[in-house]
Amino acid sequence: MSKNKYISQEFQETFERYLMDNMNKEETDGFINKLEADADLKKAFQDFKQMFLAVEEEALREELNTFHKDIPKLDITHKKTNKTRFYLIAASITIFVFIGGSLFFNKQTPADKLFATYFSPDPGLPTVMGNSNNYKFYEAMVDYKQANYKTAIEKWEPLLLEKPKNDTLNYFLGSAYLAEANFDKAITFLNVTTQNSKSVLLQDAYYYLGLSYLKQNNIKKAKENFEKSSNELSKEILLQITHLER
Amino acid sequence: MGDNIGYNQDQIIKGFKQNDSSILRTIYSNTYPKVRSHILKNNGDEDQAKDVFQEAFVVCWRNIKDSKFSNTGSVEGYLYTIAKNKWTDYLRSATYKKTVVKSKLTNLQIVADNDLADEDVAQENIEVLKQALSKLGEQCKTLLKQFYYERKSMNEISETLNITPASARNQKYRCMEKLKALSLDLKKHE
C-alpha cells in the first residue's frame, strides 16, 4: 500500500464500522488481529482514524458553540454588581468617612488638610539584590515599595539590634510607620536619623518629622523641623503654615 | 445543578462515544456554569471561561472515546477537573515568564516535550486535517459531518442531500479521498 495513496472503499468501510462500534465481538477480535499482523494496514488504519477524528472534532466544536448559545448569559449586571457593589460600598464608606470627618464631626483641621496635601511616602531606595550584607534590608525595601509597610517594618525592626543608630534603617522605619499613620513611632525613628548630622537623608527626615508633628497638630514642633529642612517642599509648607496661623 | 436527570454514567459514556447530542448538551450546560464560576473567581473573564471550557470539553470527549477515562468518577467531575487544570496551567504560564529562573524553565520544557511528543504529532496531524476540511466543498462537509459525527445512516443522508443511497456512499468515499489529498498538499507546503 503506497504511503500517499488513499485506501480502498472496502477498507474505509471496515475501518468505519470498527470506529463506530458497529462490529460484533468476533469481528472486532478478527480485525484487531489483522491490524497487529500487518504493519501497513495498521498505519493505514491510524491515518484514517485521524481523518475520522478530525471530521468529528470539527463538528463537535461547531455543536459546542450551538450549546453555548443556550447557556443563560451570566447576568452581567449581576456579576458586575458583585464587583461594582463592592467598590460602591467601599466608595460610600470612604465618602461617608470623609464627609463625616470634615463636615459632620468637623474634625479635619487645616493641619490635617496640609498634611494630606503634602504627604506621600518616601518612594524608597532602588532594590539592587546581590549585596549579601544588606540582603535583608533590601528584601524589606521591596515590601516597602509595594506599600506592604507592615511587612517591611517586621523585617526591618530585627535589624535594629545590630545597627540601632543606622540613619537609613531608622529613616525608612519612620517612613513606614508614617505611611501606616503611626505618628508617635514615626517620630521616634525619624529623630534617630536626624541625630546623624551627616546623613544624606537628614533633610528628608526633618521634612517627614515636620509632617508627623503637623498631623498631630503640634504646629510649633512641625515648624521647627520644616525650618531645619532645606528641601523645597519644607519651604512651601512653612509658608502655608504661616497662613494657617494668621 | 449537577445531576444529569435521566442519564446514568454508562449512558453518558456511551453518549460521548456516539456523539449523542442531548447527552453532550446536558453535560455542557450542567458543567459550564461551575467552570465559569471558578474562572471568574480566579482572574478570568467570560470569554476565557468559554474558550477554556470548550477546549476541556474536546479533551474530555476525546479521552472518553480513547477509553482513557476511568469509569470511577463522574464525567462532569472529570470535565470540571480538566477545565480547572487548564485554567491553572494558563495562569501559571503567564506568571512563570516573570518568576521562574531560566534554567528551571528549560528543564520543565524538556520534561513536557518528552511526555507529549506522540500526542503532539497526532494532534498536529488533526490540525492539518481540520485545515484541509475547511477547503472541502459544502456538500462534502455536510455529508461527512452527518455520517461521522451525527452517525446518520446512508439512507437518511441520501434523503437530506436528495441523492440515492448508492451515490451518497460513493460520494462519502470520494470526499474522504479528497480530504486525504488536501492534507498531504498542506503538509508539503508547510
Side-chain angles (χ1 to χ4, degrees):
Chain A
M1 211 177 295
S2 146
K3 190 184 168 224
N4 290 342
K5 201 165 168 280
Y6 189 56
I7 47 172
S8 70
Q9 189 161 9
E10 192 196 338
F11 272 127
Q12 174 179 303
E13 287 173 356
T14 309
F15 293 165
E16 283 167 356
R17 289 191 326 104
Y18 175 76
L19 289 169
M20 292 163 104
D21 244 347
N22 290 335
M23 287 182 176
N24 61 30
K25 173 90 174 68
E26 199 183 326
E27 208 182 347
T28 306
D29 290 347
F31 177 73
I32 291 172
N33 285 339
K34 257 191 192 168
L35 282 190
E36 291 310 319
D38 185 341
D40 282 347
L41 184 69
K42 194 173 180 179
K43 173 78 175 67
F45 171 72
Q46 280 165 346
D47 285 351
F48 178 79
K49 189 179 168 187
Q50 284 186 347
M51 291 169 65
F52 181 100
L53 283 176
V55 174
E56 267 195 309
E57 192 181 308
E58 201 55 16
L60 173 75
R61 284 177 189 273
E62 271 177 38
E63 194 162 43
L64 293 184
N65 281 324
T66 318
F67 295 162
H68 202 85
K69 287 184 187 133
D70 293 345
I71 297 274
K73 270 264 167 210
L74 191 65
D75 188 353
I76 290 173
T77 45
H78 174 73
K79 167 70 199 138
K80 280 210 164 153
T81 11
N82 274 348
K83 264 190 179 172
T84 324
R85 194 184 291 149
F86 171 77
Y87 288 117
L88 276 178
I89 292 171
S92 333
I93 291 172
T94 315
I95 291 167
F96 178 76
V97 167
F98 268 112
I99 294 176
S102 58
L103 295 175
F104 194 64
F105 299 106
N106 198 19
K107 267 196 171 167
Q108 198 185 27
T109 62
D112 284 338
K113 277 186 200 160
L114 253 190
F115 176 84
T117 313
Y118 281 92
F119 176 69
S120 67
D122 185 290
L125 297 177
T127 43
V128 188
M129 294 293 186
N131 183 341
S132 59
N133 290 336
N134 285 332
Y135 178 79
K136 282 182 181 161
F137 176 80
Y138 283 107
E139 194 198 348
M141 184 58 79
V142 173
D143 294 306
Y144 174 89
K145 291 170 88 164
Q146 289 171 352
N148 298 323
Y149 301 114
K150 277 197 179 116
T151 317
I153 290 168
E154 279 165 19
K155 289 179 182 173
W156 274 329
E157 279 190 334
L159 305 182
L160 277 177
L161 289 172
E162 277 178 51
K163 297 175 175 175
K165 298 276 172 198
N166 182 285
D167 59 329
T168 313
L169 186 55
N170 277 283
Y171 174 81
F172 282 105
L173 269 166
S175 292
Y177 274 115
L178 187 53
E180 282 283 296
N182 188 335
F183 305 105
D184 289 334
K185 283 267 194 183
I187 289 167
T188 311
F189 286 110
L190 290 169
N191 269 327
V192 180
T193 304
T194 56
Q195 280 162 25
N196 181 346
S197 59
K198 285 178 188 161
S199 171
V200 287
L201 297 164
L202 189 63
Q203 307 305 330
D204 289 335
Y206 279 128
Y207 171 71
Y208 281 110
L209 264 176
L211 282 172
S212 305
Y213 284 119
L214 183 67
K215 184 69 186 161
Q216 292 193 321
N217 217 16
N218 187 339
I219 308 294
K220 186 174 166 258
K221 279 273 195 183
K223 272 180 79 178
E224 270 175 37
N225 283 285
F226 287 131
E227 276 161 6
K228 284 180 194 161
S229 167
S230 63
N231 89 26
E232 286 303 313
L233 288 171
S234 295
K235 288 173 193 163
E236 230 181 274
I237 211 166
L238 268 174
L239 280 172
Q240 304 274 342
I241 291 180
T242 326
H243 286 304
L244 278 187
E245 286 175 329
R246 273 180 200 157
Chain B
M1 195 167 65
D3 51 339
N4 314 298
I5 311 146
Y7 300 122
N8 64 36
Q9 190 73 355
D10 288 342
Q11 286 173 315
I12 293 170
I13 288 174
K14 197 172 173 216
F16 266 72
K17 288 190 172 171
Q18 303 280 345
N19 307 326
D20 182 315
S21 214
S22 72
I23 287 178
L24 295 176
R25 183 190 293 272
T26 305
I27 300 296
Y28 191 102
S29 54
N30 273 356
T31 318
Y32 177 69
K34 295 174 201 164
V35 170
R36 171 172 64 188
S37 148
H38 172 77
I39 289 176
L40 290 179
K41 273 185 214 149
N42 289 281
N43 300 323
D45 59 31
E46 178 130 29
D47 286 344
Q48 289 171 317
K50 181 189 168 198
D51 288 349
V52 166
F53 180 69
Q54 292 197 346
E55 284 309 312
F57 199 101
V58 172
V59 171
C60 174
W61 167 85
R62 209 186 283 144
N63 286 354
I64 289 176
K65 277 178 186 290
D66 283 350
S67 305
K68 283 183 190 163
F69 169 68
S70 69
N71 220 335
T72 48
S74 79
V75 171
E76 275 188 43
Y78 181 59
L79 171 57
Y80 176 79
T81 309
I82 297 174
K84 204 175 135 190
N85 289 345
K86 273 190 178 289
W87 185 244
T88 308
D89 284 350
Y90 172 77
L91 291 180
R92 278 206 189 127
S93 70
T95 42
Y96 261 163
K97 281 178 200 148
K98 292 175 194 158
T99 52
V100 174
V101 287
K102 214 177 168 189
S103 62
K104 278 189 185 166
L105 195 65
T106 322
N107 284 339
L108 279 174
Q109 281 172 339
I110 290 167
V111 172
D113 284 353
N114 285 344
D115 265 7
L116 293 170
D118 282 348
E119 281 186 25
D120 276 357
V121 172
Q123 195 48 42
E124 232 172 72
N125 282 338
I126 289 181
E127 291 310 316
V128 173
L129 283 163
K130 285 200 284 187
Q131 273 185 52
L133 200 56
S134 67
K135 292 179 195 278
L136 277 183
E138 281 309 311
Q139 173 111 341
C140 266
K141 279 191 213 166
T142 312
L143 197 159
L144 296 182
K145 184 182 166 186
Q146 290 187 348
F147 185 75
Y148 293 111
Y149 183 75
E150 294 171 15
R151 306 284 166 101
K152 284 186 177 160
S153 70
M154 282 319 338
N155 283 342
E156 287 172 291
I157 295 172
S158 63
E159 274 173 33
T160 57
L161 295 179
N162 213 10
I163 48 178
T164 64
S167 164
R169 181 174 164 238
N170 278 328
Q171 273 194 30
K172 171 166 66 70
Y173 179 71
R174 297 291 160 218
C175 291
M176 285 302 263
E177 193 177 31
K178 181 124 190 261
L179 179 62
K180 169 89 176 177
L182 283 169
S183 78
L184 287 173
D185 248 23
L186 281 170
K187 273 189 192 162
K188 252 186 242 164
H189 291 104
E190 257 182 5

